Amino acid sequence: MSVQRRVRLADVAARAGVSRTTASYVLNGTSAQMRISAETEQRVRSAVMELGYRRNRSALSLRTATTQTIGVISDFVATGHFASQMLRGASAAARAQDHLIVIGETEGDPAVEIQMIEEMLDRQVDGIIYTTLVTAEVRVPAQLRERRAVLLNCVDPVADLPAVLPDELAGGRSAADVLLAAGAGERVYVVGEEVNPHAIAGPQRVQGVEEALATAGTPLAGVVPCFWDVEPAYEAVTAWLATDVTPTALVCLNDRIAMGTYQALAAHGLQVPSDVSIISFDGSELAGWLRPALTSVRIPYAELGALAVQTLLDPTAPTTVLRSPMTLLHGGSVSSARGYQSSGRQPTRTGAGRALR
Amino acid sequence: MSVQRRVRLADVAARAGVSRTTASYVLNGTSAQMRISAETEQRVRSAVMELGYRRNRSALSLRTATTQTIGVISDFVATGHFASQMLRGASAAARAQDHLIVIGETEGDPAVEIQMIEEMLDRQVDGIIYTTLVTAEVRVPAQLRERRAVLLNCVDPVADLPAVLPDELAGGRSAADVLLAAGAGERVYVVGEEVNPHAIAGPQRVQGVEEALATAGTPLAGVVPCFWDVEPAYEAVTAWLATDVTPTALVCLNDRIAMGTYQALAAHGLQVPSDVSIISFDGSELAGWLRPALTSVRIPYAELGALAVQTLLDPTAPTTVLRSPMTLLHGGSVSSARGYQSSGRQPTRTGAGRALR
DNA sequence: CTGTTAGCGCCTTCAA
DNA sequence: TTGAAGGCGCTAACAG
């Protein structure tokens, strides 16, 4: 049993006592230019109301080769934060333009990816957003090359398609700036290391940090390499602390690394932020759950999603790379020694003993 | 500019030197029953290949009032874990049956909800999954009543629709069973309290816990009421610990509550699991990030999503409530005093000092 | 076995 | 202003 409607445009026309053509004109807003009398138009509109008429989009699509639907192809699976935020932004932007979003989770399988794109093209989507979990350089499937598509969180150097990305470089700089402003810019280390050669977030963040620190005359003290997750960060930082280093601040490349770092510091008897300041990237829910709350450079997922939709739906959009600014999510993980004030969430309950996590 | 194809069925037929009808039969797999020669069929298939033909779904939809598309209406926004896991399961199940999923995030706004459903019905979705973030009793919009729809994570006592839910009661029992098996069943408290009168997860979990404990002759020692989030749990447990209680184990109603509880226990100098065992519900990523890793009764989101899709697509499915089992995600947060063995992740690195978080 | 025909519901000339 | 007519691409009787 499929969901369908009964009322046809013909019924509306009959009820209004006009021709289908006239009814059609009214519905398309072409009534003015067709010089349809206001009275007639009103009759049609009443009929639409009374009958609860809605156009049949299948018929419309067949006729216009348009569906008011956009596809989102993504390679990520269980990545809660990214996926939902991005889809939320995209969904809202799509709704604002009367479009619906159809999703295609490829689970990273290129064959599935191609299949999903085909399915979407079959359904005449008006365009496709191609997005990846990891900010990286990619090669989009050939199917997308000649079509209306926008890359989200990735770029393809050979395909001539618009792309939407976070401004990682500026994000890196602002992370360092926060530390500098707090007077915690002397011995700054980065925790995390990018291993994917196509990834661009990590390198750009580090570059931004280095630039800002260099400008202040306090070069980056070093890097603690580790995979981007809680446990690897815990292990790496624990081992590193055993070498008797005395960091002023740590820049963690994402919030999960920061969590592992909190754990390692706590185990080593170091407190955040009094002993060590921490700042990271993501601005996920996790940042708010930690104690003290983590100061994090937020990835504007929702904005990216919305921007991608707007770009896709804008026929005049150039095929350039758009960089969306990363904003600061204030927590209490950066020392306020030199009067740096967190203006967002209150870094309450940061007292000794309780901060041990 | 919309994405569209060129090759029509007529082209394929022409290329194969047959009529459109014949080509159509081959494509629909009706060739056998129409007794089309294998040779002819082969010619058609070749033509399809050579021309890269794919049927135009808009045309198909207009003709068959079917779209091979299902809609998912959800009220949740930034809820990473739930949303993505559920969509992953639903997406995979849909793909297995050649369906695509179109999403409708209502952000909890009833007006948006109605609008989204209309948009979906306009697009002739074959059915709609109506899902809510909080497991609860709801009243679905009237539009859904008469249509092919399935409720996911909620029930509507008056609408005659199938519903898919986690088996919270059994989940509650198994949580208590884990504690009992570990010899930590003597002074068990529940942390968290449901305030939404329509919610069903909380009450059922507690009921399950109580039943299992009662069976073992060690009734629930009490409840520490708090909102279901990290900070409220931290506050509540901290205040509660100040009253000199000596819990054997805590059942946290979700993983975020458990995180806040970890924090409060650490601040109070109590260790998990040597001093207090902890078990919670959700089985989210967070459980694995905590130290020691949290033992949690997993909500089978992906399975629920898949089940909902299968139910929706099965014309013979009865309009009953399906309960999906909650499985145990093993961590190291439950004492193994009496030889209880966590069989999943290794609860490594649980040594003194490091467990303080 | 295969071709002919008639719509599915809607938009859009073209004439009137 | 409006009616008639064609056609988007495909399926499904109904004849051959």
Side-chain angles (χ1 to χ4, degrees):
Chain A
M1 183 219 311
S2 85
V3 189
Q4 61 175 301
R5 310 202 109 76
R6 316 242 65 120
V7 188
R8 306 185 314 281
L9 179 57
D11 300 325
V12 172
R15 170 111 183 182
V18 301
S19 69
R20 296 210 308 289
T21 314
T22 306
S24 177
Y25 286 150
V26 172
L27 256 60
N28 293 322
T30 340
S31 59
Q33 118 186 25
M34 289 322 254
R35 288 185 296 181
I36 303 227
S37 73
E39 192 266 336
T40 303
E41 172 159 356
Q42 192 46 54
R43 274 217 314 285
V44 174
R45 294 205 182 289
S46 308
V48 166
M49 281 307 197
E50 292 159 23
L51 268 36
Y53 169 79
R54 305 211 105 218
R55 348 142 94 92
N56 179 324
R57 277 220 164 276
S58 296
L60 201 62
S61 299
L62 178 56
R63 190 70 176 74
T64 64
T66 250
T67 53
Q68 301 278 92
T69 297
I70 78 186
V72 174
I73 292 286
S74 56
D75 68 348
F76 39 78
V77 238
T79 56
H81 186 66
F82 180 1
S84 49
Q85 290 296 102
M86 190 275 283
L87 282 180
R88 178 168 69 84
S91 179
R95 181 157 54 81
Q97 302 198 45
D98 292 314
H99 282 247
L100 236 40
I101 285 182
V102 1
I103 60 170
E105 285 260 345
T106 68
E107 315 209 353
D109 182 334
V112 173
E113 182 171 282
I114 291 177
Q115 182 199 344
M116 290 299 230
I117 296 179
E118 284 300 312
E119 290 287 343
M120 287 182 176
L121 295 178
D122 283 355
R123 285 169 180 73
Q124 309 264 125
V125 294
D126 295 342
I128 290 182
I129 291 176
Y130 183 91
T131 179
T132 55
L133 171 59
V134 175
T135 312
E137 229 181 79
V138 299
R139 290 285 182 282
V140 299
Q143 306 155 289
L144 254 39
R145 296 277 182 70
E146 310 296 317
R147 300 203 146 79
R148 186 109 200 107
V150 170
L151 303 191
L152 173 49
N153 209 35
C154 54
V155 288
D156 183 330
V158 306
D160 187 33
L161 261 21
V164 176
L165 294 162
D167 191 346
E168 307 280 0
L169 200 57
R173 279 194 221 105
S174 70
D177 286 342
V178 167
L179 297 178
L180 290 166
E186 282 176 48
R187 291 184 306 285
V188 177
Y189 292 79
V190 163
V191 183
E193 181 186 45
E194 191 52 73
V195 289
N196 178 345
H198 299 297
I200 52 192
Q204 292 200 350
R205 288 174 192 173
V206 174
Q207 186 185 336
V209 169
E210 287 180 323
E211 286 180 11
L213 289 180
T215 302
T218 60
L220 185 63
V223 172
V224 183
C226 75
F227 184 69
W228 294 32
D229 215 333
V230 182
E231 183 151 342
Y234 171 83
E235 306 281 7
V237 174
T238 296
W240 176 68
L241 288 174
T243 64
D244 279 330
V245 286
T246 55
T248 306
L250 300 177
V251 177
C252 298
L253 291 185
N254 77 4
D255 288 348
R256 295 197 304 282
I257 291 179
M259 180 169 181
T261 299
Y262 267 52
Q263 296 173 343
L265 291 174
H268 202 259
L270 257 26
Q271 289 184 208
V272 177
S274 53
D275 295 321
V276 182
S277 286
I278 297 209
I279 188 163
S280 77
F281 297 85
D282 271 2
S284 62
E285 312 165 271
L286 177 58
W289 295 340
L290 293 177
R291 169 167 301 268
L294 188 57
T295 294
S296 187
V297 180
R298 208 183 121 256
I299 302 177
Y301 286 126
E303 292 86 337
L304 290 169
L307 192 51
V309 166
Q310 285 153 6
T311 305
L312 188 68
L313 260 27
D314 176 4
T316 70
T319 59
T320 53
V321 175
L322 294 175
R323 302 226 166 245
S324 190
M326 301 178 82
T327 57
L328 209 52
L329 182 66
H330 294 282
S333 62
V334 173
S335 138
S336 50
R338 255 198 232 162
Y340 171 74
Q341 278 302 326
S342 87
S343 60
R345 284 171 298 158
Q346 289 302 317
T348 50
R349 311 175 335 240
T350 318
R354 315 257 254 353
L356 266 192
R357 62 158 319 271
Chain B
M1 185 216 311
S2 85
V3 190
Q4 60 177 301
R5 308 202 113 73
R6 316 243 66 122
V7 189
R8 305 184 316 277
L9 179 58
D11 300 326
V12 172
R15 171 113 184 179
V18 301
S19 71
R20 296 210 311 287
T21 314
T22 306
S24 176
Y25 285 149
V26 171
L27 257 61
N28 294 322
T30 340
S31 59
Q33 117 186 27
M34 290 320 258
R35 289 184 295 182
I36 301 217
S37 73
E39 193 265 336
T40 302
E41 172 159 356
Q42 192 46 55
R43 275 217 313 286
V44 174
R45 295 204 182 289
S46 309
V48 167
M49 282 304 198
E50 292 159 23
L51 268 36
Y53 169 78
R54 305 212 104 219
R55 357 139 90 90
N56 178 324
R57 277 218 164 275
S58 296
L60 200 62
S61 299
L62 178 57
R63 192 68 177 80
T64 64
T66 250
T67 53
Q68 302 278 93
T69 298
I70 77 186
V72 174
I73 293 285
S74 55
D75 68 347
F76 39 79
V77 238
T79 56
H81 186 65
F82 181 2
S84 48
Q85 291 295 101
M86 191 277 283
L87 281 180
R88 179 167 69 85
S91 180
R95 181 157 53 80
Q97 301 199 45
D98 293 314
H99 281 246
L100 236 41
I101 286 181
V102 1
I103 60 169
E105 285 260 343
T106 68
E107 315 208 353
D109 182 334
V112 173
E113 184 171 279
I114 291 177
Q115 181 199 344
M116 291 299 230
I117 295 178
E118 284 299 311
E119 291 287 342
M120 288 182 175
L121 294 178
D122 282 355
R123 286 168 179 74
Q124 308 264 126
V125 294
D126 295 341
I128 290 183
I129 291 176
Y130 183 91
T131 180
T132 55
L133 171 59
V134 175
T135 312
E137 231 181 76
V138 299
R139 290 285 182 282
V140 300
Q143 305 155 289
L144 255 40
R145 297 277 181 71
E146 310 295 317
R147 301 203 145 80
R148 185 107 202 112
V150 170
L151 303 191
L152 172 48
N153 209 35
C154 53
V155 289
D156 183 331
V158 306
D160 187 34
L161 261 21
V164 176
L165 295 162
D167 191 346
E168 307 280 2
L169 201 56
R173 280 194 220 102
S174 71
D177 286 342
V178 167
L179 297 178
L180 290 167
E186 282 176 48
R187 291 184 306 286
V188 177
Y189 293 79
V190 163
V191 184
E193 180 185 45
E194 190 53 75
V195 289
N196 178 344
H198 299 296
I200 52 192
Q204 291 200 350
R205 287 175 192 173
V206 174
Q207 186 184 337
V209 169
E210 287 181 323
E211 286 180 13
L213 289 179
T215 301
T218 60
L220 185 63
V223 173
V224 183
C226 74
F227 184 69
W228 294 31
D229 215 331
V230 182
E231 183 152 341
Y234 171 84
E235 306 281 8
V237 175
T238 296
W240 176 68
L241 287 174
T243 65
D244 280 327
V245 285
T246 54
T248 306
L250 299 177
V251 177
C252 297
L253 291 185
N254 77 3
D255 288 348
R256 295 196 304 283
I257 290 178
M259 181 168 181
T261 300
Y262 267 52
Q263 296 173 343
L265 291 174
H268 202 258
L270 257 26
Q271 290 183 209
V272 178
S274 52
D275 295 323
V276 182
S277 287
I278 297 207
I279 188 163
S280 76
F281 297 85
D282 270 4
S284 62
E285 312 165 89
L286 178 57
W289 295 339
L290 294 177
R291 167 166 302 267
L294 188 58
T295 295
S296 187
V297 180
R298 209 183 121 256
I299 302 175
Y301 286 126
E303 291 86 337
L304 289 168
L307 192 53
V309 167
Q310 285 153 7
T311 305
L312 188 68
L313 261 27
D314 176 4
T316 70
T319 59
T320 54
V321 174
L322 294 174
R323 302 228 166 241
S324 191
M326 300 179 82
T327 58
L328 208 54
L329 181 66
H330 293 281
S333 62
V334 173
S335 139
S336 50
R338 254 196 233 163
Y340 170 74
Q341 278 301 325
S342 88
S343 62
R345 282 171 298 157
Q346 290 302 318
T348 49
R349 309 177 336 239
T350 317
R354 313 256 257 352
L356 266 192
R357 62 155 320 274

PDB file of all heavy atoms in Angstrom, chain A residues 181-200:
ATOM      1  N   ALA A 181      46.764  34.946  24.737  1.00  0.00           N
ATOM      2  CA  ALA A 181      46.034  35.947  25.501  1.00  0.00           C
ATOM      3  C   ALA A 181      45.986  35.578  26.978  1.00  0.00           C
ATOM      4  O   ALA A 181      45.924  36.439  27.858  1.00  0.00           O
ATOM      5  CB  ALA A 181      44.623  36.105  24.954  1.00  0.00           C
ATOM      6  N   ALA A 182      46.019  34.286  27.242  1.00  0.00           N
ATOM      7  CA  ALA A 182      45.947  33.847  28.641  1.00  0.00           C
ATOM      8  C   ALA A 182      47.325  33.759  29.272  1.00  0.00           C
ATOM      9  O   ALA A 182      47.470  33.333  30.408  1.00  0.00           O
ATOM     10  CB  ALA A 182      45.260  32.482  28.704  1.00  0.00           C
ATOM     11  N   GLY A 183      48.304  34.107  28.498  1.00  0.00           N
ATOM     12  CA  GLY A 183      49.654  34.048  29.033  1.00  0.00           C
ATOM     13  C   GLY A 183      50.191  32.635  29.127  1.00  0.00           C
ATOM     14  O   GLY A 183      51.111  32.332  29.874  1.00  0.00           O
ATOM     15  N   ALA A 184      49.583  31.754  28.363  1.00  0.00           N
ATOM     16  CA  ALA A 184      49.995  30.351  28.406  1.00  0.00           C
ATOM     17  C   ALA A 184      50.693  29.961  27.111  1.00  0.00           C
ATOM     18  O   ALA A 184      50.605  28.828  26.663  1.00  0.00           O
ATOM     19  CB  ALA A 184      48.777  29.462  28.660  1.00  0.00           C
ATOM     20  N   GLY A 185      51.354  30.909  26.483  1.00  0.00           N
ATOM     21  CA  GLY A 185      51.917  30.641  25.168  1.00  0.00           C
ATOM     22  C   GLY A 185      53.391  30.289  25.136  1.00  0.00           C
ATOM     23  O   GLY A 185      53.996  30.219  24.079  1.00  0.00           O
ATOM     24  N   GLU A 186      53.967  30.026  26.284  1.00  0.00           N
ATOM     25  CA  GLU A 186      55.424  29.810  26.278  1.00  0.00           C
ATOM     26  C   GLU A 186      55.874  28.443  25.817  1.00  0.00           C
ATOM     27  O   GLU A 186      56.642  28.321  24.869  1.00  0.00           O
ATOM     28  CB  GLU A 186      55.975  30.093  27.668  1.00  0.00           C
ATOM     29  CG  GLU A 186      56.106  31.590  27.925  1.00  0.00           C
ATOM     30  CD  GLU A 186      56.548  31.862  29.336  1.00  0.00           C
ATOM     31  OE1 GLU A 186      57.521  31.214  29.782  1.00  0.00           O
ATOM     32  OE2 GLU A 186      55.915  32.700  30.017  1.00  0.00           O
ATOM     33  N   ARG A 187      55.398  27.415  26.500  1.00  0.00           N
ATOM     34  CA  ARG A 187      55.807  26.071  26.088  1.00  0.00           C
ATOM     35  C   ARG A 187      54.545  25.306  25.659  1.00  0.00           C
ATOM     36  O   ARG A 187      53.937  24.587  26.424  1.00  0.00           O
ATOM     37  CB  ARG A 187      56.529  25.351  27.227  1.00  0.00           C
ATOM     38  CG  ARG A 187      57.902  25.968  27.530  1.00  0.00           C
ATOM     39  CD  ARG A 187      58.642  25.187  28.590  1.00  0.00           C
ATOM     40  NE  ARG A 187      57.845  25.014  29.809  1.00  0.00           N
ATOM     41  CZ  ARG A 187      57.625  25.988  30.698  1.00  0.00           C
ATOM     42  NH1 ARG A 187      58.138  27.185  30.519  1.00  0.00           N
ATOM     43  NH2 ARG A 187      56.895  25.750  31.756  1.00  0.00           N
ATOM     44  N   VAL A 188      54.211  25.547  24.413  1.00  0.00           N
ATOM     45  CA  VAL A 188      52.988  24.950  23.870  1.00  0.00           C
ATOM     46  C   VAL A 188      53.307  23.715  23.024  1.00  0.00           C
ATOM     47  O   VAL A 188      54.184  23.751  22.160  1.00  0.00           O
ATOM     48  CB  VAL A 188      52.219  25.970  22.988  1.00  0.00           C
ATOM     49  CG1 VAL A 188      50.994  25.326  22.364  1.00  0.00           C
ATOM     50  CG2 VAL A 188      51.844  27.194  23.808  1.00  0.00           C
ATOM     51  N   TYR A 189      52.596  22.644  23.306  1.00  0.00           N
ATOM     52  CA  TYR A 189      52.773  21.416  22.530  1.00  0.00           C
ATOM     53  C   TYR A 189      51.453  21.059  21.835  1.00  0.00           C
ATOM     54  O   TYR A 189      50.373  21.349  22.358  1.00  0.00           O
ATOM     55  CB  TYR A 189      53.167  20.246  23.433  1.00  0.00           C
ATOM     56  CG  TYR A 189      54.537  20.381  24.041  1.00  0.00           C
ATOM     57  CD1 TYR A 189      54.748  21.200  25.148  1.00  0.00           C
ATOM     58  CD2 TYR A 189      55.626  19.687  23.504  1.00  0.00           C
ATOM     59  CE1 TYR A 189      56.013  21.326  25.717  1.00  0.00           C
ATOM     60  CE2 TYR A 189      56.890  19.802  24.065  1.00  0.00           C
ATOM     61  CZ  TYR A 189      57.086  20.625  25.175  1.00  0.00           C
ATOM     62  OH  TYR A 189      58.327  20.736  25.730  1.00  0.00           O
ATOM     63  N   VAL A 190      51.587  20.410  20.703  1.00  0.00           N
ATOM     64  CA  VAL A 190      50.401  19.915  20.018  1.00  0.00           C
ATOM     65  C   VAL A 190      50.269  18.438  20.338  1.00  0.00           C
ATOM     66  O   VAL A 190      51.270  17.716  20.357  1.00  0.00           O
ATOM     67  CB  VAL A 190      50.523  20.098  18.493  1.00  0.00           C
ATOM     68  CG1 VAL A 190      49.507  19.228  17.763  1.00  0.00           C
ATOM     69  CG2 VAL A 190      50.320  21.568  18.114  1.00  0.00           C
ATOM     70  N   VAL A 191      49.048  17.994  20.633  1.00  0.00           N
ATOM     71  CA  VAL A 191      48.833  16.567  20.857  1.00  0.00           C
ATOM     72  C   VAL A 191      47.985  16.024  19.716  1.00  0.00           C
ATOM     73  O   VAL A 191      46.882  16.514  19.472  1.00  0.00           O
ATOM     74  CB  VAL A 191      48.118  16.303  22.199  1.00  0.00           C
ATOM     75  CG1 VAL A 191      47.980  14.795  22.427  1.00  0.00           C
ATOM     76  CG2 VAL A 191      48.862  16.970  23.340  1.00  0.00           C
ATOM     77  N   GLY A 192      48.515  15.029  19.044  1.00  0.00           N
ATOM     78  CA  GLY A 192      47.813  14.463  17.897  1.00  0.00           C
ATOM     79  C   GLY A 192      48.676  14.564  16.663  1.00  0.00           C
ATOM     80  O   GLY A 192      49.548  15.432  16.571  1.00  0.00           O
ATOM     81  N   GLU A 193      48.447  13.672  15.733  1.00  0.00           N
ATOM     82  CA  GLU A 193      49.259  13.702  14.519  1.00  0.00           C
ATOM     83  C   GLU A 193      48.452  13.095  13.383  1.00  0.00           C
ATOM     84  O   GLU A 193      47.827  12.052  13.524  1.00  0.00           O
ATOM     85  CB  GLU A 193      50.521  12.881  14.735  1.00  0.00           C
ATOM     86  CG  GLU A 193      51.434  12.881  13.520  1.00  0.00           C
ATOM     87  CD  GLU A 193      52.598  11.933  13.729  1.00  0.00           C
ATOM     88  OE1 GLU A 193      52.370  10.800  14.208  1.00  0.00           O
ATOM     89  OE2 GLU A 193      53.741  12.335  13.421  1.00  0.00           O
ATOM     90  N   GLU A 194      48.478  13.765  12.280  1.00  0.00           N
ATOM     91  CA  GLU A 194      47.714  13.268  11.145  1.00  0.00           C
ATOM     92  C   GLU A 194      48.510  12.212  10.393  1.00  0.00           C
ATOM     93  O   GLU A 194      49.660  12.425  10.040  1.00  0.00           O
ATOM     94  CB  GLU A 194      47.382  14.432  10.195  1.00  0.00           C
ATOM     95  CG  GLU A 194      46.389  14.063   9.138  1.00  0.00           C
ATOM     96  CD  GLU A 194      45.138  13.438   9.739  1.00  0.00           C
ATOM     97  OE1 GLU A 194      44.326  14.158  10.343  1.00  0.00           O
ATOM     98  OE2 GLU A 194      45.007  12.205   9.612  1.00  0.00           O
ATOM     99  N   VAL A 195      47.882  11.088  10.163  1.00  0.00           N
ATOM    100  CA  VAL A 195      48.583  10.037   9.433  1.00  0.00           C
ATOM    101  C   VAL A 195      48.037   9.900   8.014  1.00  0.00           C
ATOM    102  O   VAL A 195      48.725   9.479   7.104  1.00  0.00           O
ATOM    103  CB  VAL A 195      48.442   8.668  10.147  1.00  0.00           C
ATOM    104  CG1 VAL A 195      49.260   8.674  11.422  1.00  0.00           C
ATOM    105  CG2 VAL A 195      46.997   8.341  10.441  1.00  0.00           C
ATOM    106  N   ASN A 196      46.786  10.293   7.822  1.00  0.00           N
ATOM    107  CA  ASN A 196      46.190  10.235   6.496  1.00  0.00           C
ATOM    108  C   ASN A 196      46.803  11.334   5.619  1.00  0.00           C
ATOM    109  O   ASN A 196      46.651  12.513   5.900  1.00  0.00           O
ATOM    110  CB  ASN A 196      44.676  10.450   6.638  1.00  0.00           C
ATOM    111  CG  ASN A 196      43.968  10.460   5.296  1.00  0.00           C
ATOM    112  OD1 ASN A 196      44.598  10.588   4.254  1.00  0.00           O
ATOM    113  ND2 ASN A 196      42.656  10.334   5.348  1.00  0.00           N
ATOM    114  N   PRO A 197      47.510  10.939   4.586  1.00  0.00           N
ATOM    115  CA  PRO A 197      48.191  11.939   3.760  1.00  0.00           C
ATOM    116  C   PRO A 197      47.248  12.877   3.013  1.00  0.00           C
ATOM    117  O   PRO A 197      47.643  13.948   2.564  1.00  0.00           O
ATOM    118  CB  PRO A 197      48.998  11.079   2.781  1.00  0.00           C
ATOM    119  CG  PRO A 197      48.262   9.787   2.708  1.00  0.00           C
ATOM    120  CD  PRO A 197      47.694   9.576   4.077  1.00  0.00           C
ATOM    121  N   HIS A 198      45.990  12.475   2.895  1.00  0.00           N
ATOM    122  CA  HIS A 198      45.042  13.328   2.185  1.00  0.00           C
ATOM    123  C   HIS A 198      44.289  14.261   3.121  1.00  0.00           C
ATOM    124  O   HIS A 198      43.576  15.151   2.675  1.00  0.00           O
ATOM    125  CB  HIS A 198      44.020  12.470   1.425  1.00  0.00           C
ATOM    126  CG  HIS A 198      44.652  11.591   0.403  1.00  0.00           C
ATOM    127  ND1 HIS A 198      45.330  12.092  -0.683  1.00  0.00           N
ATOM    128  CD2 HIS A 198      44.729  10.247   0.296  1.00  0.00           C
ATOM    129  CE1 HIS A 198      45.789  11.099  -1.411  1.00  0.00           C
ATOM    130  NE2 HIS A 198      45.443   9.961  -0.837  1.00  0.00           N
ATOM    131  N   ALA A 199      44.434  14.016   4.401  1.00  0.00           N
ATOM    132  CA  ALA A 199      43.710  14.840   5.372  1.00  0.00           C
ATOM    133  C   ALA A 199      44.283  16.256   5.384  1.00  0.00           C
ATOM    134  O   ALA A 199      45.477  16.460   5.203  1.00  0.00           O
ATOM    135  CB  ALA A 199      43.818  14.223   6.756  1.00  0.00           C
ATOM    136  N   ILE A 200      43.414  17.224   5.576  1.00  0.00           N
ATOM    137  CA  ILE A 200      43.908  18.589   5.582  1.00  0.00           C
ATOM    138  C   ILE A 200      43.638  19.331   6.888  1.00  0.00           C
ATOM    139  O   ILE A 200      44.277  20.329   7.170  1.00  0.00           O
ATOM    140  CB  ILE A 200      43.320  19.393   4.397  1.00  0.00           C
ATOM    141  CG1 ILE A 200      41.815  19.292   4.353  1.00  0.00           C
ATOM    142  CG2 ILE A 200      43.925  18.900   3.099  1.00  0.00           C
ATOM    143  CD1 ILE A 200      41.211  19.815   3.074  1.00  0.00           C
TER     144      ILE A 200
END
